[in-house]
Amino acid sequence: GSQDCAQNIRVTGQVQGVGFRPAVWRLAQRHGLRGSVHNDGAGLAIHACGPGAALERFVQDLQRDAPPLARIMQIEREPAPILARDAGFAILPSAGAGPVVTGVAPDAASCAACIAETQDPAARRHRYPFTNCTHCGPRLSIATRIPYDRAHTTMQAFTMCAACHAEYTDPADRRFHAQPIACPDCGPRLWLEHPDDSPAAGQATEHPIVAARRWLGRGAIVAIKGLGGFQLACDATDADALARLRLRKHRASKPFALMARDLAMVRSYCRVGRDEQALLCGPAAPIVLLPRADAGATALATGVAPGMATLGFMLPNTPLHHDLLSGLAHPIVLTSGNLSDAPQLTDNDAARNALAGIADAFLLHDRPIARRVDDSVLRSMAGAPRVLRRARGLAPAAIALHPGFAAAAPVLALGSDLKNSFCLLRTGQAVLSHHIGELRDARTLADHRRAIDDYRQLFDHQPTQIAVDMHPQSLAGRAGRAMCTTDGDRVASLVEVQHHHAHIAACMAENGLPPDTPDVLGIALDGMGYGDDGGIWGGEFLRAGYRGFTRLARLRPVALPGGDAAMREPWRNTYAQLVAAIGWPAFAERYSALELHARLRAKPLAVLDAMLASHTNCPPASSAARWFDAVAAACGICFDRIGHEGQAAMELEACLDAATLERDHDDQAYPFAIDTGDAARLPCLDPAPSWPALLDDLQHGVPAGVVSARFHKGLAIAIVRMVQLLRAASGGDILRTVALSGGVFQNRVLLEQLVRRLEQAGLAVLTHRQVPSNDGGLSLGQAAVAAARMLAPRAPTPIAPPAATARTETTPCA
């Protein structure tokens, strides 16, 4: 123990730009060790020398006392040369050579120490909006290259003053090597601009944040340059200001996010559980969807989140936001600074131009933003926090896959056209990009290409394979195909992955299943994805491994009258479902007194009938989301059209009567049929029997909230029945694990009902936590499929489909 020994210790993971080197220096002092520590492309390299027992305690403490933002993936040790007795312990400059496998840390919300400092009138950084330290502040949003050093950030233009430099070079200071370190003497500055830019007498010296508060108090819309892009703010209790913001931003109905001064203010509008409190106050400071409190929420303008039972709240995440909110009596609406669906703006001049018709004033600063990073969104469901949008504070933290993936060569997966993110997979780590958005918008598509180049350069990533959705018209897929043919001299090979297979694989991957895992029973419920038969899928039961899948069953396909129009106008789905379930004549005869009958009769039904009869522009789809739309419209929710994706289903969930859900016997839930299929037909989950039960309820004046509860419960019961049937048909006690994925599982009620009932049936249930169940997590699944196929190129033994379904469509396994 007392004899000297020495080791080279390699620490990998999220270990750069998080204060790890000073933490190592302090531990070395504590344990009387000599040696050195430095960053390089692979992570953190430590040469430590001293008594053996001290060295062991040092390595234990490395893990226990790691800085708050660090995430250690691995610690490797090997013998090293013994150092002279009088050698000290040094922090060496970064070594840039070698392959880059380390990460850039996500941006982190201001820590308590920095906020206390900005609130102290005697402190050097009193009210300074760019105050940060090693434990907080910008990372991804300012990094231009790796390793993460000041010269590789957008802070390189600001020369440190003597006082900041002293802190930066003192290993005992919490700002040691804090790359964005700054103060009012040497750092970025803040100012307010507005159209009548002649400040009235006496206001010329007004603090920009005080001026911004005054504008908000007058009902103005203020554009704020935040951490990862521009935001638009207004008083959340001012209905006129909110109406103007919706009108100017062309955002008719989509809920707005809110920022509150502190937890107490959030609690006056919402119920906050322990999980939610930890999320709100954690370093990611995301938007958290919270159930509205019974009282108090009346004070907010009704236009904040129309039709929703939840509100999306976040707490201030920078000193600028803390200062702004500290003087306000109400929460503010804080939404991304863009026109609806376009990417968030990051540049002052571009924002002045694009937002001139929206914002009344601009709170600007001169620290450039290296890449736009939206707010992350989380919701606590089924006993755990779930990521709905992965961005600020979470991306680009690596997701550790099963160690079996470590041998796979690098993969780049390009994700989906909706809620896009892409994924860089290498050495068993998956780096998911921040949320990119809807690629249908040309500006977002251009941003997607730029972001891919940006991340590949940032992480020095050379993919051997590029994974894409198999849809031939996919915009992300088109980009991937182009990259395979033009990517310099090293041409990557293309891997096509079916949409719902990628959803299930993403769920498997984030739950740590190995590449050669036994098959799971995957349930993928979403809006739609391209099936390997060329059809529109969206309610699928798959027997899946990473390398391939068999489609075991589906929701009953129903026509989408008008194709894309059926996604925007829920009444079309109601009509198609009623025609399929009971026929229009029977409906008209039995339910003529219903308002639903009168509203449908006013629509151009003859045109729809002609389309249905001739199969013109009404493709059949097994889409779960269109099912929800049909039920919502039948209840009078978003009957004519939706203002944003998922609105009808979200409002159907929001109006649900909780007492009915808890108290009603299962027999009162709406019944669904299971068609067991035959040699020519897949088994189907059929909603036809639920329609007469639902319509009878409406006929008897049963409120929409009760109808919603009976529908959600009936669907969960039917899915569990289908799972049991498929397991029995597969023979033996297999498919014990069920994986749930797809955007429909952002529905809290369905997720909780299903998880509880599947677990009661003795099954293991895999769900999403770290990546969204919606298309935002798709690229992780695409990457995992490509990597697993690469690791075992031979096709797995074909799976015998259940006896009843001899003609089960399967994907070709690579």
Side-chain angles (χ1 to χ4, degrees), residues 164-200:
C164 284
H165 190 262
E167 295 169 324
Y168 182 83
T169 49
D170 177 3
D173 194 286
R174 80 169 199 279
R175 292 199 169 88
F176 177 77
H177 281 241
Q179 306 307 340
I181 188 172
C183 75
D185 294 337
C186 66
R189 58 183 196 92
L190 185 74
W191 68 93
L192 188 92
E193 285 179 13
H194 49 93
D196 49 324
D197 223 349
S198 50

mmCIF file of all heavy atoms in Angstrom, residues 164-200:
data_model
loop_
_atom_site.group_PDB
_atom_site.id
_atom_site.type_symbol
_atom_site.label_atom_id
_atom_site.label_comp_id
_atom_site.label_asym_id
_atom_site.label_seq_id
_atom_site.Cartn_x
_atom_site.Cartn_y
_atom_site.Cartn_z
ATOM 1 N N CYS A 164 -10.488 38.203 -14.736
ATOM 2 C CA CYS A 164 -11.046 36.941 -15.253
ATOM 3 C C CYS A 164 -9.922 35.933 -15.500
ATOM 4 O O CYS A 164 -10.056 34.743 -15.219
ATOM 5 C CB CYS A 164 -11.834 37.173 -16.541
ATOM 6 S SG CYS A 164 -13.467 37.920 -16.264
ATOM 7 N N HIS A 165 -8.790 36.423 -16.017
ATOM 8 C CA HIS A 165 -7.673 35.533 -16.329
ATOM 9 C C HIS A 165 -7.138 34.884 -15.056
ATOM 10 O O HIS A 165 -6.766 33.699 -15.052
ATOM 11 C CB HIS A 165 -6.555 36.298 -17.047
ATOM 12 C CG HIS A 165 -5.496 35.392 -17.598
ATOM 13 N ND1 HIS A 165 -4.313 35.142 -16.946
ATOM 14 C CD2 HIS A 165 -5.479 34.636 -18.734
ATOM 15 C CE1 HIS A 165 -3.602 34.277 -17.654
ATOM 16 N NE2 HIS A 165 -4.281 33.961 -18.743
ATOM 17 N N ALA A 166 -7.124 35.645 -13.964
ATOM 18 C CA ALA A 166 -6.652 35.096 -12.687
ATOM 19 C C ALA A 166 -7.559 33.943 -12.225
ATOM 20 O O ALA A 166 -7.079 32.914 -11.749
ATOM 21 C CB ALA A 166 -6.605 36.201 -11.636
ATOM 22 N N GLU A 167 -8.869 34.133 -12.378
ATOM 23 C CA GLU A 167 -9.806 33.055 -11.997
ATOM 24 C C GLU A 167 -9.632 31.843 -12.923
ATOM 25 O O GLU A 167 -9.635 30.695 -12.479
ATOM 26 C CB GLU A 167 -11.261 33.553 -12.110
ATOM 27 C CG GLU A 167 -11.619 34.670 -11.141
ATOM 28 C CD GLU A 167 -12.970 35.316 -11.448
ATOM 29 O OE1 GLU A 167 -13.325 35.442 -12.650
ATOM 30 O OE2 GLU A 167 -13.668 35.686 -10.503
ATOM 31 N N TYR A 168 -9.490 32.138 -14.205
ATOM 32 C CA TYR A 168 -9.407 31.094 -15.236
ATOM 33 C C TYR A 168 -8.187 30.194 -15.036
ATOM 34 O O TYR A 168 -8.216 29.008 -15.368
ATOM 35 C CB TYR A 168 -9.349 31.775 -16.608
ATOM 36 C CG TYR A 168 -9.319 30.835 -17.789
ATOM 37 C CD1 TYR A 168 -10.490 30.284 -18.310
ATOM 38 C CD2 TYR A 168 -8.115 30.506 -18.425
ATOM 39 C CE1 TYR A 168 -10.461 29.435 -19.402
ATOM 40 C CE2 TYR A 168 -8.080 29.666 -19.520
ATOM 41 C CZ TYR A 168 -9.260 29.123 -20.009
ATOM 42 O OH TYR A 168 -9.226 28.288 -21.099
ATOM 43 N N THR A 169 -7.101 30.758 -14.484
ATOM 44 C CA THR A 169 -5.852 29.987 -14.359
ATOM 45 C C THR A 169 -5.627 29.432 -12.953
ATOM 46 O O THR A 169 -4.591 28.823 -12.695
ATOM 47 C CB THR A 169 -4.648 30.875 -14.735
ATOM 48 O OG1 THR A 169 -4.758 32.116 -14.029
ATOM 49 C CG2 THR A 169 -4.631 31.157 -16.236
ATOM 50 N N ASP A 170 -6.589 29.615 -12.052
ATOM 51 C CA ASP A 170 -6.429 29.135 -10.676
ATOM 52 C C ASP A 170 -7.195 27.825 -10.484
ATOM 53 O O ASP A 170 -8.430 27.836 -10.453
ATOM 54 C CB ASP A 170 -6.950 30.205 -9.707
ATOM 55 C CG ASP A 170 -6.889 29.743 -8.252
ATOM 56 O OD1 ASP A 170 -6.395 28.615 -8.002
ATOM 57 O OD2 ASP A 170 -7.351 30.491 -7.378
ATOM 58 N N PRO A 171 -6.496 26.695 -10.356
ATOM 59 C CA PRO A 171 -7.198 25.403 -10.243
ATOM 60 C C PRO A 171 -8.150 25.333 -9.043
ATOM 61 O O PRO A 171 -9.067 24.507 -9.038
ATOM 62 C CB PRO A 171 -6.066 24.380 -10.089
ATOM 63 C CG PRO A 171 -4.843 25.063 -10.607
ATOM 64 C CD PRO A 171 -5.034 26.530 -10.324
ATOM 65 N N ALA A 172 -7.919 26.199 -8.046
ATOM 66 C CA ALA A 172 -8.800 26.156 -6.871
ATOM 67 C C ALA A 172 -10.079 26.973 -7.085
ATOM 68 O O ALA A 172 -10.984 26.937 -6.256
ATOM 69 C CB ALA A 172 -8.049 26.685 -5.646
ATOM 70 N N ASP A 173 -10.159 27.726 -8.194
ATOM 71 C CA ASP A 173 -11.318 28.589 -8.451
ATOM 72 C C ASP A 173 -12.382 27.839 -9.241
ATOM 73 O O ASP A 173 -12.049 27.033 -10.111
ATOM 74 C CB ASP A 173 -10.849 29.825 -9.247
ATOM 75 C CG ASP A 173 -11.903 30.931 -9.255
ATOM 76 O OD1 ASP A 173 -12.911 30.757 -9.970
ATOM 77 O OD2 ASP A 173 -11.711 31.946 -8.561
ATOM 78 N N ARG A 174 -13.661 28.109 -8.976
ATOM 79 C CA ARG A 174 -14.703 27.372 -9.704
ATOM 80 C C ARG A 174 -14.795 27.807 -11.174
ATOM 81 O O ARG A 174 -15.529 27.233 -11.957
ATOM 82 C CB ARG A 174 -16.062 27.453 -9.005
ATOM 83 C CG ARG A 174 -16.866 28.725 -9.215
ATOM 84 C CD ARG A 174 -18.307 28.563 -8.680
ATOM 85 N NE ARG A 174 -19.204 29.544 -9.242
ATOM 86 C CZ ARG A 174 -19.326 30.797 -8.832
ATOM 87 N NH1 ARG A 174 -18.594 31.228 -7.823
ATOM 88 N NH2 ARG A 174 -20.176 31.615 -9.424
ATOM 89 N N ARG A 175 -14.022 28.845 -11.525
ATOM 90 C CA ARG A 175 -13.988 29.263 -12.937
ATOM 91 C C ARG A 175 -12.710 28.820 -13.631
ATOM 92 O O ARG A 175 -12.417 29.279 -14.725
ATOM 93 C CB ARG A 175 -14.139 30.791 -13.046
ATOM 94 C CG ARG A 175 -15.520 31.245 -12.636
ATOM 95 C CD ARG A 175 -15.865 32.625 -13.154
ATOM 96 N NE ARG A 175 -17.286 32.860 -12.944
ATOM 97 C CZ ARG A 175 -17.789 33.383 -11.819
ATOM 98 N NH1 ARG A 175 -16.989 33.740 -10.849
ATOM 99 N NH2 ARG A 175 -19.099 33.540 -11.710
ATOM 100 N N PHE A 176 -11.959 27.897 -13.010
ATOM 101 C CA PHE A 176 -10.745 27.413 -13.653
ATOM 102 C C PHE A 176 -11.117 26.768 -14.993
ATOM 103 O O PHE A 176 -11.924 25.839 -15.054
ATOM 104 C CB PHE A 176 -10.044 26.395 -12.755
ATOM 105 C CG PHE A 176 -8.814 25.793 -13.383
ATOM 106 C CD1 PHE A 176 -7.627 26.514 -13.439
ATOM 107 C CD2 PHE A 176 -8.847 24.528 -13.943
ATOM 108 C CE1 PHE A 176 -6.500 25.966 -14.032
ATOM 109 C CE2 PHE A 176 -7.720 23.978 -14.538
ATOM 110 C CZ PHE A 176 -6.541 24.702 -14.576
ATOM 111 N N HIS A 177 -10.573 27.319 -16.070
ATOM 112 C CA HIS A 177 -10.833 26.810 -17.429
ATOM 113 C C HIS A 177 -12.317 26.800 -17.795
ATOM 114 O O HIS A 177 -12.752 25.968 -18.599
ATOM 115 C CB HIS A 177 -10.197 25.433 -17.641
ATOM 116 C CG HIS A 177 -8.727 25.554 -17.911
ATOM 117 N ND1 HIS A 177 -8.133 25.123 -19.061
ATOM 118 C CD2 HIS A 177 -7.726 26.106 -17.169
ATOM 119 C CE1 HIS A 177 -6.835 25.393 -19.022
ATOM 120 N NE2 HIS A 177 -6.567 25.991 -17.885
ATOM 121 N N ALA A 178 -13.102 27.710 -17.214
ATOM 122 C CA ALA A 178 -14.488 27.899 -17.685
ATOM 123 C C ALA A 178 -14.366 28.695 -18.980
ATOM 124 O O ALA A 178 -14.078 29.895 -18.952
ATOM 125 C CB ALA A 178 -15.303 28.657 -16.645
ATOM 126 N N GLN A 179 -14.544 28.017 -20.117
ATOM 127 C CA GLN A 179 -14.213 28.655 -21.405
ATOM 128 C C GLN A 179 -15.028 29.928 -21.689
ATOM 129 O O GLN A 179 -14.499 30.879 -22.253
ATOM 130 C CB GLN A 179 -14.354 27.649 -22.562
ATOM 131 C CG GLN A 179 -13.546 26.363 -22.374
ATOM 132 C CD GLN A 179 -12.064 26.592 -22.080
ATOM 133 O OE1 GLN A 179 -11.515 27.650 -22.361
ATOM 134 N NE2 GLN A 179 -11.415 25.601 -21.475
ATOM 135 N N PRO A 180 -16.330 29.997 -21.316
ATOM 136 C CA PRO A 180 -17.081 31.233 -21.612
ATOM 137 C C PRO A 180 -16.912 32.328 -20.547
ATOM 138 O O PRO A 180 -17.688 33.274 -20.527
ATOM 139 C CB PRO A 180 -18.549 30.761 -21.645
ATOM 140 C CG PRO A 180 -18.550 29.298 -21.357
ATOM 141 C CD PRO A 180 -17.210 28.929 -20.810
ATOM 142 N N ILE A 181 -15.916 32.198 -19.664
ATOM 143 C CA ILE A 181 -15.732 33.163 -18.565
ATOM 144 C C ILE A 181 -15.744 34.604 -19.113
ATOM 145 O O ILE A 181 -15.211 34.874 -20.191
ATOM 146 C CB ILE A 181 -14.411 32.881 -17.806
ATOM 147 C CG1 ILE A 181 -14.302 33.751 -16.543
ATOM 148 C CG2 ILE A 181 -13.203 33.083 -18.707
ATOM 149 C CD1 ILE A 181 -13.125 33.384 -15.654
ATOM 150 N N ALA A 182 -16.399 35.482 -18.386
ATOM 151 C CA ALA A 182 -16.505 36.880 -18.820
ATOM 152 C C ALA A 182 -16.969 37.724 -17.644
ATOM 153 O O ALA A 182 -17.441 37.200 -16.630
ATOM 154 C CB ALA A 182 -17.509 36.994 -19.963
ATOM 155 N N CYS A 183 -16.842 39.041 -17.800
ATOM 156 C CA CYS A 183 -17.369 39.972 -16.802
ATOM 157 C C CYS A 183 -17.744 41.257 -17.543
ATOM 158 O O CYS A 183 -17.467 41.390 -18.730
ATOM 159 C CB CYS A 183 -16.329 40.226 -15.706
ATOM 160 S SG CYS A 183 -14.997 41.313 -16.236
ATOM 161 N N PRO A 184 -18.345 42.218 -16.852
ATOM 162 C CA PRO A 184 -18.758 43.451 -17.553
ATOM 163 C C PRO A 184 -17.581 44.189 -18.206
ATOM 164 O O PRO A 184 -17.774 44.928 -19.169
ATOM 165 C CB PRO A 184 -19.374 44.308 -16.438
ATOM 166 C CG PRO A 184 -19.745 43.343 -15.366
ATOM 167 C CD PRO A 184 -18.767 42.225 -15.440
ATOM 168 N N ASP A 185 -16.366 43.978 -17.724
ATOM 169 C CA ASP A 185 -15.214 44.700 -18.279
ATOM 170 C C ASP A 185 -14.715 44.097 -19.587
ATOM 171 O O ASP A 185 -14.132 44.806 -20.406
ATOM 172 C CB ASP A 185 -14.044 44.709 -17.268
ATOM 173 C CG ASP A 185 -14.397 45.520 -16.029
ATOM 174 O OD1 ASP A 185 -15.286 46.394 -16.149
ATOM 175 O OD2 ASP A 185 -13.816 45.257 -14.963
ATOM 176 N N CYS A 186 -14.882 42.772 -19.766
ATOM 177 C CA CYS A 186 -14.241 42.149 -20.927
ATOM 178 C C CYS A 186 -15.172 41.287 -21.773
ATOM 179 O O CYS A 186 -14.769 40.815 -22.826
ATOM 180 C CB CYS A 186 -13.050 41.301 -20.476
ATOM 181 S SG CYS A 186 -13.509 39.865 -19.461
ATOM 182 N N GLY A 187 -16.411 41.082 -21.325
ATOM 183 C CA GLY A 187 -17.258 40.107 -22.009
ATOM 184 C C GLY A 187 -18.323 40.709 -22.902
ATOM 185 O O GLY A 187 -18.333 41.923 -23.162
ATOM 186 N N PRO A 188 -19.213 39.875 -23.386
ATOM 187 C CA PRO A 188 -20.314 40.345 -24.232
ATOM 188 C C PRO A 188 -21.174 41.366 -23.493
ATOM 189 O O PRO A 188 -21.193 41.412 -22.261
ATOM 190 C CB PRO A 188 -21.127 39.073 -24.500
ATOM 191 C CG PRO A 188 -20.207 37.940 -24.207
ATOM 192 C CD PRO A 188 -19.265 38.422 -23.160
ATOM 193 N N ARG A 189 -21.877 42.198 -24.271
ATOM 194 C CA ARG A 189 -22.753 43.184 -23.633
ATOM 195 C C ARG A 189 -24.174 43.041 -24.173
ATOM 196 O O ARG A 189 -24.406 42.448 -25.238
ATOM 197 C CB ARG A 189 -22.223 44.599 -23.870
ATOM 198 C CG ARG A 189 -22.087 44.945 -25.321
ATOM 199 C CD ARG A 189 -21.491 46.319 -25.592
ATOM 200 N NE ARG A 189 -21.779 46.663 -26.982
ATOM 201 C CZ ARG A 189 -22.850 47.341 -27.378
ATOM 202 N NH1 ARG A 189 -23.719 47.805 -26.504
ATOM 203 N NH2 ARG A 189 -23.063 47.581 -28.672
ATOM 204 N N LEU A 190 -25.099 43.611 -23.416
ATOM 205 C CA LEU A 190 -26.534 43.496 -23.690
ATOM 206 C C LEU A 190 -27.107 44.877 -23.966
ATOM 207 O O LEU A 190 -26.670 45.860 -23.364
ATOM 208 C CB LEU A 190 -27.196 42.909 -22.431
ATOM 209 C CG LEU A 190 -28.673 42.554 -22.444
ATOM 210 C CD1 LEU A 190 -28.911 41.283 -23.257
ATOM 211 C CD2 LEU A 190 -29.162 42.328 -20.996
ATOM 212 N N TRP A 191 -28.068 44.976 -24.894
ATOM 213 C CA TRP A 191 -28.749 46.262 -25.108
ATOM 214 C C TRP A 191 -30.169 46.025 -25.603
ATOM 215 O O TRP A 191 -30.486 44.925 -26.057
ATOM 216 C CB TRP A 191 -27.960 47.154 -26.074
ATOM 217 C CG TRP A 191 -27.918 46.648 -27.495
ATOM 218 C CD1 TRP A 191 -28.761 46.974 -28.517
ATOM 219 C CD2 TRP A 191 -26.979 45.720 -28.068
ATOM 220 N NE1 TRP A 191 -28.418 46.319 -29.676
ATOM 221 C CE2 TRP A 191 -27.317 45.540 -29.413
ATOM 222 C CE3 TRP A 191 -25.880 45.010 -27.546
ATOM 223 C CZ2 TRP A 191 -26.619 44.697 -30.282
ATOM 224 C CZ3 TRP A 191 -25.177 44.171 -28.398
ATOM 225 C CH2 TRP A 191 -25.543 44.019 -29.742
ATOM 226 N N LEU A 192 -31.002 47.051 -25.488
ATOM 227 C CA LEU A 192 -32.380 46.955 -25.967
ATOM 228 C C LEU A 192 -32.555 47.883 -27.170
ATOM 229 O O LEU A 192 -32.115 49.021 -27.141
ATOM 230 C CB LEU A 192 -33.379 47.343 -24.869
ATOM 231 C CG LEU A 192 -34.839 47.078 -25.276
ATOM 232 C CD1 LEU A 192 -35.288 45.696 -24.831
ATOM 233 C CD2 LEU A 192 -35.780 48.122 -24.683
ATOM 234 N N GLU A 193 -33.209 47.376 -28.217
ATOM 235 C CA GLU A 193 -33.524 48.194 -29.395
ATOM 236 C C GLU A 193 -35.028 48.189 -29.589
ATOM 237 O O GLU A 193 -35.678 47.170 -29.353
ATOM 238 C CB GLU A 193 -32.914 47.559 -30.666
ATOM 239 C CG GLU A 193 -31.441 47.728 -30.816
ATOM 240 C CD GLU A 193 -30.941 47.034 -32.095
ATOM 241 O OE1 GLU A 193 -31.775 46.662 -32.953
ATOM 242 O OE2 GLU A 193 -29.722 46.861 -32.208
ATOM 243 N N HIS A 194 -35.563 49.341 -30.035
ATOM 244 C CA HIS A 194 -36.968 49.347 -30.439
ATOM 245 C C HIS A 194 -37.135 50.367 -31.547
ATOM 246 O O HIS A 194 -36.278 51.240 -31.737
ATOM 247 C CB HIS A 194 -37.897 49.614 -29.246
ATOM 248 C CG HIS A 194 -37.513 50.776 -28.412
ATOM 249 N ND1 HIS A 194 -38.018 52.035 -28.604
ATOM 250 C CD2 HIS A 194 -36.643 50.867 -27.382
ATOM 251 C CE1 HIS A 194 -37.486 52.849 -27.713
ATOM 252 N NE2 HIS A 194 -36.646 52.176 -26.965
ATOM 253 N N PRO A 195 -38.224 50.242 -32.313
ATOM 254 C CA PRO A 195 -38.374 51.060 -33.531
ATOM 255 C C PRO A 195 -38.201 52.558 -33.280
ATOM 256 O O PRO A 195 -37.469 53.218 -34.023
ATOM 257 C CB PRO A 195 -39.790 50.738 -33.997
ATOM 258 C CG PRO A 195 -40.074 49.386 -33.450
ATOM 259 C CD PRO A 195 -39.336 49.296 -32.154
ATOM 260 N N ASP A 196 -38.845 53.107 -32.242
ATOM 261 C CA ASP A 196 -38.636 54.549 -31.976
ATOM 262 C C ASP A 196 -37.395 54.651 -31.086
ATOM 263 O O ASP A 196 -37.492 54.859 -29.886
ATOM 264 C CB ASP A 196 -39.860 55.183 -31.308
ATOM 265 C CG ASP A 196 -40.347 54.384 -30.129
ATOM 266 O OD1 ASP A 196 -40.271 53.140 -30.191
ATOM 267 O OD2 ASP A 196 -40.823 54.989 -29.141
ATOM 268 N N ASP A 197 -36.231 54.494 -31.717
ATOM 269 C CA ASP A 197 -34.996 54.302 -30.946
ATOM 270 C C ASP A 197 -34.431 55.596 -30.361
ATOM 271 O O ASP A 197 -33.230 55.750 -30.254
ATOM 272 C CB ASP A 197 -33.940 53.611 -31.819
ATOM 273 C CG ASP A 197 -33.203 52.523 -31.048
ATOM 274 O OD1 ASP A 197 -33.372 52.485 -29.822
ATOM 275 O OD2 ASP A 197 -32.472 51.732 -31.656
ATOM 276 N N SER A 198 -35.325 56.533 -30.029
ATOM 277 C CA SER A 198 -34.856 57.750 -29.362
ATOM 278 C C SER A 198 -35.323 57.669 -27.920
ATOM 279 O O SER A 198 -36.450 58.017 -27.619
ATOM 280 C CB SER A 198 -35.490 58.970 -30.037
ATOM 281 O OG SER A 198 -36.902 58.748 -30.127
ATOM 282 N N PRO A 199 -34.480 57.147 -27.023
ATOM 283 C CA PRO A 199 -34.928 56.951 -25.648
ATOM 284 C C PRO A 199 -35.375 58.284 -25.028
ATOM 285 O O PRO A 199 -34.722 59.305 -25.218
ATOM 286 C CB PRO A 199 -33.702 56.400 -24.921
ATOM 287 C CG PRO A 199 -32.579 56.423 -25.901
ATOM 288 C CD PRO A 199 -33.084 56.791 -27.257
ATOM 289 N N ALA A 200 -36.508 58.220 -24.351
ATOM 290 C CA ALA A 200 -37.017 59.447 -23.712
ATOM 291 C C ALA A 200 -36.022 59.916 -22.656
ATOM 292 O O ALA A 200 -35.251 59.132 -22.130
ATOM 293 C CB ALA A 200 -38.370 59.143 -23.070
#
